[in-house]
Amino acid sequence: MLLLTILFPLLGFALLGLFGKKLKEPLPGVLASALVLASFLLGVGLLAQGGGRFQAEWLPGIPFSLVLDNLSGFMLIIVTGVGFLIHVYAIGYMAGDAGNSRFFAYFNFFIAMMLTLVLADSYPVMFIGWEGVGLASFLLIGFWYQNAQYADSARKAFIVNRIGDLGFLLGMAILWALYGTLSISELKEALEGPLKNPSLLALAGLLLFLGAVGKSAQVPLMVWLPDAMAGPTPVSALIHAATMVTAGVYLIARSSFLYANLPDVSYTIAVIGLLTAAYGALSAFGQNDIKRIVAYSTISQLGYMFLAAGVGAYWVALFHVFTHAFFKALLFLASGSVIHALGGEQDVRKMGGLWKHLPYTRWHGLIGALALGGLPLLSGFWSKDAILTATLTYPFGSLGFYLGALLVAVLTAMYAMRWFVLVFLGEERGHHHHPHEAPAVMLWPNHLLALGSVLAGYLALPHPLPNLLEPFLKPALAEVEAHHPSLGAEWGLIALSGAVALLGLWVGYTFFQRKALPAWYLAFEAWSREGFYMDRVYNALLVNPLKALAEALFYGDGSLLRGYFGLGGTVRTLGQGIARLQTGYLRVYALLFVLGVLVLLGVMRW
Amino acid sequence: MSYLFASALLFALGVYGVLTRRTAILVFLSIELMLNAANLSLVGFARAFGLEGQVAALMVIAIAAAEVAVGLGLIVAIFRQRESTAVDDLSELRG
């Protein structure tokens, strides 16, 4: 039964891949959406029955095992639930595209692989899903493959991810060497006693984390994510909101039994997370592409999740995954509706004043931006506040993390408002034709996502209000002892983060409403636009030397080949010459025979 | 000694025939000529040095008979196939 949740979308992939071209336009999308919905319903049903397991003999010593516990069930609901809404949206967004059925085939493949990743009970099985989503993202980012730049972006995403995957593989190898098993539940039991080889185990943890860094675009492997905007907007929404990039966070949470024992590694994770959060937030300011702003915000929000996972608050990280899935999908899909309305325009400098043209999308954009910015009572506020509090209450946290995260929260609120103001407010700038609201098939998913963006946070309210999520996830996560602050202190922190978010939103709103921005800001914006030149640093330090090396090797290879071709050519000419002797005429053979005998006789005489 | 000269002359005639005749039958005849030249020299040697050479000559005659039986069979088969016995027509095995 559990296997079926993966097989449904996989079936869609096979059907659409084989026969998609024969189906009339809305049909591929409807079929793909329906199969994801089936997975969702089946997953929820199984979860309600208390989970499930699936195991099949596969490689010797490594069974193909899947598990549906509270953690993987939680992720399954996010992946298929939000994934379903994005599928439905894509029916409208991709209408009329020549590759419509191909698109939905990839989309279903993506969901199937993500479910494999999430449900896996052993690292190799997880790795299958891990690579599968990598492949699917490659196919989807480069979906419009005739544009060379888009195809390059797809390659970049794929290659940068490979670096992280190497870490994942090496980490698995160390775990295998240490414990002789890669099954997650067996490893969990094995780690309960005293640690056998702490330093090697820490290395394994770091290497697994490297895999997560690649997949979740953390510093220093974050360069692929902004470029991944090349694909169609639903792809961005799917990759960023619900699935692939959160896989890294999920890996850390799934391996929490490991990281809870490794304080140093956890500290590293938190530092990387905070760095990433700050980098993403700062880079979001300078972007002019409506989707790139949101993309950098994803990097930043993922940093938050890693910060939470790093300090030991694994359930908080997942809580943020949950709320983020809603508001980030909403932001992307609202951006998609704007792009749709403007006939493909993505530059925010040519937008503005869309408030009166898009009666529904404007609200989606506003709710998404406010939830991202952490307006109190919206979902983003609750999860971000939980992270902020966790940096102080969980064992691997510290005051430095808290202050850093608070600062990033202000920045987040500001760039969220910048996005909203530039797109929807102010005067109109360069509309090509009259903007039109998206069709209902695109609006309804956004309505639901907006609802989720408002309400998702109420799953886990701070003490003493009801918190449903923590006890739900707790059995599947490692025990990390958090000290609870006094009620006053906790609500003081909440009030502080709320005030900070309001301040950020207000500052952002007034600052970006202004016509003229101060010179220092423009200088900062120029830096920020290029993502602080990280791409250039990479190009100078890694890409160009490697390219030169590859070219040298290619040249060497070419000369070697030419040499072999030359040799082959000589032998061929020789062979052709000798072959000409073989005429097939009997009498010529006889003549040669006679001549040969005469020569032999002559030689013998001599 | 003159036997050997006659034998060499016969052999050269046989070689000439093999190289110049187009018809398989005549090529065959020329080969027989060469074999007989060999026989002649063998008998000649037998006369001079002892009787072992005659045994070899008998052997050659027997083998020639067998060869002719096989060779004629082949020629008949080829003729049925192609209505011709010209050896130059049979050049399919060229490289």
Side-chain angles (χ1 to χ4, degrees):
Chain A
M1 280 300 274
L2 187 52
L3 195 62
L4 270 183
T5 53
I6 297 174
L7 288 182
F8 275 137
L10 209 56
L11 175 76
F13 167 63
L15 284 179
L16 289 173
L18 290 172
F19 312 113
K21 283 232 154 121
K22 297 196 186 108
L23 299 177
K24 260 205 149 70
E25 172 96 0
L27 220 57
V30 172
L31 177 68
S33 311
L35 285 165
V36 176
L37 184 64
S39 269
F40 173 72
L41 295 175
L42 184 62
V44 171
L46 284 173
L47 196 61
Q49 284 172 21
R53 272 188 171 279
F54 173 83
Q55 188 150 356
E57 276 312 308
W58 182 40
L59 298 173
I62 306 171
F64 189 94
S65 52
L66 303 174
V67 65
L68 184 75
D69 59 1
N70 287 354
L71 175 59
S72 57
F74 177 72
M75 284 298 286
L76 179 138
I77 289 170
I78 299 176
V79 170
T80 51
V82 177
F84 168 67
L85 294 178
I86 297 171
H87 268 71
V88 172
Y89 178 92
I91 297 175
Y93 193 85
M94 297 305 287
D97 193 286
N100 189 282
S101 64
R102 182 165 61 94
F103 180 82
F104 282 105
Y106 292 165
F107 241 38
N108 264 1
F109 179 65
F110 197 114
I111 297 281
M113 283 300 127
M114 191 65 199
L115 288 178
T116 313
L117 195 167
V118 165
L119 293 173
D121 188 35
S122 74
Y123 284 117
V125 177
M126 192 187 266
F127 195 70
I128 294 175
W130 194 266
E131 291 301 302
V133 291
L135 169 63
S137 71
F138 169 77
L139 293 172
L140 284 168
I141 293 168
F143 180 72
W144 286 318
Y145 56 87
Q146 276 159 340
N147 183 326
Q149 205 188 338
Y150 292 180
D152 280 344
S153 300
R155 270 200 290 274
K156 188 173 176 186
F158 198 69
I159 292 167
V160 175
N161 263 297
R162 293 281 78 63
I163 302 171
D165 295 345
L166 180 67
F168 195 150
L169 274 174
L170 292 176
M172 281 202 286
I174 292 180
L175 285 177
W176 174 265
L178 278 177
Y179 292 98
T181 175
L182 285 174
S183 155
I184 293 172
S185 24
E186 282 174 30
L187 278 174
K188 201 185 281 184
E189 282 169 30
L191 272 164
E192 263 161 17
L195 299 184
K196 269 200 265 182
N197 191 338
S199 54
L200 205 55
L201 202 62
L203 184 63
L206 263 182
L207 286 168
L208 282 185
F209 172 59
L210 181 62
V213 164
K215 193 73 47 192
S216 294
Q218 298 293 292
V219 170
L221 297 180
M222 66 298 180
V223 287
W224 67 270
L225 196 85
D227 285 14
M229 293 299 98
T233 308
V235 174
S236 318
L238 191 61
I239 292 179
H240 283 232
T243 56
M244 179 168 153
V245 294
T246 58
V249 185
Y250 176 72
L251 174 66
I252 304 290
R254 202 18 121 196
S255 315
S256 57
F257 62 91
L258 182 66
Y259 290 105
N261 288 320
L262 302 170
D264 292 342
V265 178
S266 290
Y267 188 77
T268 313
I269 295 174
V271 169
I272 296 271
L274 186 57
L275 262 179
T276 309
Y279 171 79
L282 287 173
S283 298
F285 278 98
Q287 304 306 317
N288 289 322
D289 184 315
I290 181 170
K291 279 162 70 184
R292 279 178 84 95
I293 301 175
V294 190
Y296 273 108
S297 119
T298 305
I299 296 183
S300 172
Q301 297 301 305
L302 286 165
Y304 264 121
M305 296 171 203
F306 275 95
L307 175 62
V311 299
Y314 304 108
W315 76 268
V316 178
L318 290 165
F319 180 35
H320 199 55
V321 168
F322 183 62
T323 58
H324 176 255
F326 283 105
F327 63 74
K328 187 51 56 71
L330 180 63
L331 278 172
F332 266 116
L333 297 188
S335 302
S337 294
V338 169
I339 294 168
H340 181 81
L342 297 179
E345 182 58 63
Q346 301 205 7
D347 193 332
V348 287
R349 286 169 300 189
K350 296 185 184 146
M351 293 177 185
L354 290 172
W355 182 259
K356 56 181 174 292
H357 291 295
L358 304 174
Y360 296 108
T361 302
R362 64 184 187 196
W363 291 109
H364 299 149
L366 182 61
I367 291 172
L370 290 178
L372 169 65
L375 183 76
L377 304 183
L378 294 187
S379 63
F381 170 73
W382 296 117
S383 57
K384 207 171 290 175
D385 176 68
I387 292 173
L388 288 171
T389 312
T391 55
L392 290 176
T393 55
Y394 276 83
F396 310 135
S398 71
L399 187 65
F401 286 141
Y402 179 78
L403 293 177
L406 204 61
L407 191 68
V408 174
V410 181
L411 294 173
T412 307
M414 283 171 66
Y415 75 70
M417 282 325 283
R418 172 176 179 269
W419 180 85
F420 179 74
V421 167
L422 284 180
V423 174
F424 290 101
L425 303 182
E427 81 267 29
E428 300 182 23
R429 297 182 291 266
H431 295 170
H432 305 298
H433 58 294
H434 188 70
H436 53 281
E437 185 56 282
V441 70
M442 288 163 69
L443 283 178
W444 271 100
N446 279 356
H447 290 335
L448 292 174
L449 287 171
L451 197 67
S453 302
V454 175
L455 297 179
Y458 291 89
L459 214 56
L461 292 175
H463 190 74
L465 297 172
N467 181 345
L468 298 173
L469 194 63
E470 190 178 4
F472 179 75
L473 288 176
K474 205 145 209 179
L477 296 171
E479 289 285 335
V480 179
E481 210 45 60
H483 67 89
H484 274 285
S486 70
L487 216 57
E490 180 153 359
W491 282 90
L493 291 176
I494 290 169
L496 181 61
S497 78
V500 153
L502 283 173
L503 177 80
L505 290 169
W506 182 74
V507 169
Y509 176 73
T510 50
F511 191 74
F512 291 106
Q513 271 287 53
R514 258 194 300 185
K515 295 276 174 331
L517 297 167
W520 62 264
Y521 175 77
L522 292 177
F524 160 75
E525 196 176 54
W527 274 73
S528 166
R529 182 170 304 128
E530 301 294 326
F532 300 93
Y533 299 99
M534 285 314 291
D535 264 337
R536 259 188 232 181
V537 172
Y538 270 87
N539 281 341
L541 285 184
L542 286 173
V543 177
N544 289 337
L546 283 177
K547 228 186 220 166
L549 178 68
E551 260 158 28
L553 288 176
F554 180 71
Y555 182 76
D557 198 36
S559 355
L560 210 62
L561 264 182
R562 267 196 298 282
Y564 280 123
F565 269 130
L567 197 66
T570 317
V571 170
R572 201 170 79 152
T573 347
L574 213 66
Q576 273 171 345
I578 293 172
R580 206 159 297 150
L581 282 178
Q582 198 183 353
T583 53
Y585 292 109
L586 193 60
R587 291 181 305 153
V588 175
Y589 296 153
L591 179 64
L592 288 173
F593 182 72
V594 170
L595 286 176
V597 168
L598 284 180
V599 168
L600 263 180
L601 286 175
V603 167
M604 276 160 73
R605 280 292 293 177
W606 178 63
Chain B
M1 204 52 192
S2 50
Y3 288 113
L4 286 183
F5 276 119
S7 162
L9 195 65
L10 262 179
F11 193 87
L13 279 172
V15 169
Y16 177 75
V18 166
L19 293 181
T20 52
R21 292 292 157 183
R22 287 168 196 274
T23 319
I25 305 274
L26 287 176
V27 171
F28 232 67
L29 279 177
S30 306
I31 289 171
E32 294 299 315
L33 216 55
M34 285 154 70
L35 287 171
N36 279 326
N39 280 346
L40 184 60
S41 51
L42 282 172
V43 173
F45 283 128
R47 183 88 177 253
F49 302 113
L51 287 179
E52 294 94 337
Q54 288 196 355
V55 180
L58 284 173
M59 198 85 134
V60 170
I61 290 168
I63 291 172
E67 183 217 321
V68 166
V70 173
L72 277 179
L74 281 173
I75 289 172
V76 169
I78 290 169
F79 183 76
R80 280 201 187 138
Q81 199 73 30
R82 312 182 161 245
E83 309 243 320
S84 145
T85 57
V87 286
D88 287 358
D89 289 352
L90 308 173
S91 61
E92 256 106 65
L93 288 178
R94 103 178 98 213

